[in-house]
Amino acid sequence: MPHAEIKYSEDLMIDAPVILAEIEQVILRNDGGSGECKGRAYPALQYHHTHLLVSISMLTKAHRDAAFTQKLMADLETAIRAQIPQKCFFSLGITYTTESYLTTEHDPKV
């Protein structure tokens, strides 16, 4: 269950839900077993310089090696940049959580 967070200056005219959906699709194309990507977007009302920061967090898995990460980074960068209509600073990071991280689905009806 990957997570994606977008933090951006409010003057950046982006469609955050579209970008989050695209991030999920890129991850699934690279790793079909990754599951749904939970996404959140945070426009910053106070900022210095127009910017977009995308942070991806995924569980550590044997197949998520350096080559996988480089390919995923390149694919994510291409997909996200295609959704940015104006000049800005752009940052993208992928981190892997440790085995002590729990991610699951909660349903009180089950």
Side-chain angles (χ1 to χ4, degrees):
M1 291 185 182
H3 287 262
E5 289 190 349
I6 302 173
K7 298 175 185 173
Y8 61 99
S9 55
E10 73 164 338
D11 66 328
L12 196 56
M13 300 300 154
I14 61 168
D15 189 339
V18 167
I19 294 173
L20 290 168
E22 184 64 21
I23 289 169
E24 180 177 67
Q25 290 307 306
V26 170
I27 292 171
L28 287 170
R29 281 194 297 271
N30 280 272
D31 188 352
S34 65
E36 297 168 322
C37 181
K38 275 56 69 201
R40 294 160 296 284
Y42 305 99
L45 302 179
Q46 299 177 22
Y47 56 89
H48 184 63
H49 301 294
T50 301
H51 67 276
L52 176 77
L53 166 63
V54 180
S55 301
I56 309 294
S57 176
M58 302 176 76
L59 292 172
T60 301
K61 303 278 183 173
H63 68 279
R64 293 179 180 160
D65 58 10
F68 169 85
T69 302
Q70 288 302 98
K71 169 104 170 52
L72 180 59
M73 282 282 286
D75 291 352
L76 285 168
E77 180 181 7
T78 299
I80 296 166
R81 282 182 180 257
Q83 299 297 323
I84 305 171
Q86 68 200 81
K87 183 178 178 179
C88 69
F89 290 101
F90 174 77
S91 302
L92 168 64
I94 299 174
T95 59
Y96 293 100
T97 59
T98 65
E99 295 169 354
S100 63
Y101 182 83
L102 170 69
T103 185
T104 186
E105 186 173 351
H106 171 76
D107 185 352
K109 297 177 183 174
V110 177

